[in-house]
Amino acid sequence: MINITLPDGSVRQYEKGTTSLDIAKSISEGLARKVIAASVDGQTWDITRPIQKDAAVKLLTWTDKDGKNTFWHSSAHLMAEAVESLFPGVKFWVGPPVENGFYYDMDLGDRKITEEDLAQLEKKMNELAKKNNAYIRKEVPKAEAVKYFTDKGDEYKLDLLQNLNDGEITFYTQGDFTDLCRGPHIPSTGLIKAIKLTNIAGAYWKGDEKNKMLTRIYGVTFPSQKELDEYLQMLEEAKKRDHRKLGKELSIYTMDDDVGQGLIMWMPNGTVIIEELEKLAKETESEAGYKRVVTPHIAKESMYLTSGHLPYYADSMYPPMELDGEKYYLKSMNCPHHHKIYAAEPKSYRDLPYRIAEYGTVYRYEQSGELFGLMRVRCLHMNDAHIYCTKAQFADEFRAVNDMYQKYFKIFGIDKYVMRLSLHSPDKLGKKYVNEPELWKETEEMVRQVLIESKIPYVEVQDEAAFYGPKIDVQIFSVIGREFTLATNQVDFSQGRSFKLEYTTPDNQTEIPLIIHRAPLGTHERFIGFLLEHYAGKFPLWLSPVQVKVLPISDKFLDYAKSVAQKLKKADIRAEVDDRQEKIGKKIRDTELLKVPYMLVVGEKEMNEESVSVRRQGKGDLGSKTVAEFLKEAVAEIEERRE
């Protein structure tokens, strides 16, 4: 018998060789119908794969991220089967799941896939799915695998086999299609009920422009037609909310080839949003006992060697500049500079926790193919801070950071979020992670306990920690359900020693502080990109670049309109006058398109009564108010940062 530990901590005994599907059936038949994959000791497996030893098992359904990935990877194989049946002789490279669906790269020879072909492929995939063919896993000796793909003349799979050894090679077969694949897969094709092939693109083999251009077909599948229809509707809404489209329409930011890829220039409207976010952060952090600092944009190589960033992150840093025989790097993270500030003056236990914050500018060399609007850039403005504390203070400090996140969630109307507790991988100690197994175990458990006690929703993921300690990545969801990685909250048990950071204890001994790295608002770039899509460009009043537009019905009332705007500006309300010689209907329509929260229409009646006719974005006419009444209400809405 073997012991199977379930996520709730319970332990059940099963015969050796039992499968995850057997385990699901032993719990309930309903669960067994929903399970599509399983996590076995942290690795995703087929639910029909025998388990030979004691293991921790989590049963995965469509609602689990790893369940979706398994579903979509299996769908990539189904698409490959359809392609092979319609276009014999095709050769395949790789077909992974992606954030929303899957793709497969393939060599079609001289054949070009068209949009019409996609419709035929969808039809074929549906036919094959209905056959309900099982995905069958087979372990294959390397010699046999090499012969199989040599006979097929498939240089792409032979290339993949070069780096694999006996015991590492598996084939998966469904229907008439066999592929080299490590899996896992769903039980059968019949689970795939709704299919949409979304895009055709080109992709260089291995991502190298010197290699052959392959055809990449993207698709997405669902367990029901209803879910696919909802997804396609969400895609249409997402197109309207695309931050790149809105960023241009609302004059938020711009980029220019003469400046460089991934380097954002914030226009006046975008700069207003940045300043409002900084104001919010500064107020919040001041209340929480942080002190502000400012650090340089460059530093000597020696500091990044001390921190350990160069060995681990050199590929993401800009090349060094040489001056006076020294190498200088553009700053790619703020923490080493902050450690130097901590070390500048002696510290005792009375000085801890020591909290310092900075909206620091950092530079990271993202690959050009990974750059994406505001979401992946090369210059980032980060809401960064570091907390230096004792081990006894850690839980309260870490909890306070998480509380700060939740305060921000409320302000921005973020209702759905999850914390990803990113852990290390024991087999990568000394390579990807600092080689301190006991400290890893201790700090990971400390973070886990804070999350449990705070009743914060979280998931655990292996092999995604920072090199110096475990971290929480904050995943938030926009109003249309799109997922964003907002920020991080990291524990560091390594750099305190690297930088010889100390504090004096009550008994006059020296200790090394624990360090918490945190950035609740992430970067301006990513967060404003999220907000553009979350609000569809219709920012709340406090955050809107232009808060009020005063619209005179004709030039006769222009001076009154300007006097109203002047009163608003004196109350620190961002107001503009539309002085164009246009009809009032066009002025209103144009202001609606610019998504300005309030419009104040003024004519003869308003001028004589010292009032304004108020219109609200998305709500229309709110009636007439005196300027004083409107001012009082608007100032209160701004000060309270109402959503």
Side-chain angles (χ1 to χ4, degrees), residues 7 20 129 160 190 220 267 296 310 384 395 457 578 621:
S20 301
L160 288 171
V220 66
M267 299 171 78
L310 264 181
D384 212 356
D578 187 338
D621 188 2

Side-chain angles (χ1 to χ4, degrees), residues 198-214:
T198 55
N199 192 27
I200 308 166
Y204 291 109
W205 182 37
K206 297 184 179 181
D208 188 337
E209 62 186 16
K210 296 177 184 177
N211 290 335
K212 184 172 183 177
M213 176 74 77
L214 303 179

Side-chain angles (χ1 to χ4, degrees), residues 466-530:
F467 74 87
Y468 46 64
K471 64 174 180 172
I472 289 175
D473 289 318
V474 184
Q475 307 297 117
I476 57 175
F477 297 81
S478 71
V479 292
I480 59 169
R482 287 191 60 184
E483 183 178 358
F484 295 78
T485 301
L486 169 63
T488 188
N489 189 7
Q490 304 176 354
V491 188
D492 180 353
F493 56 75
S494 172
Q495 290 194 38
R497 278 182 294 174
S498 301
F499 282 88
K500 297 181 172 59
L501 306 183
E502 296 178 343
Y503 67 91
T504 305
T505 65
D507 56 0
N508 211 31
Q509 301 296 308
T510 56
E511 293 282 349
I512 299 168
L514 270 176
I515 305 169
I516 297 172
H517 305 239
R518 44 110 288 186
L521 291 177
T523 66
H524 289 323
E525 290 73 19
R526 182 176 287 266
F527 193 48
I528 292 174
F530 164 78

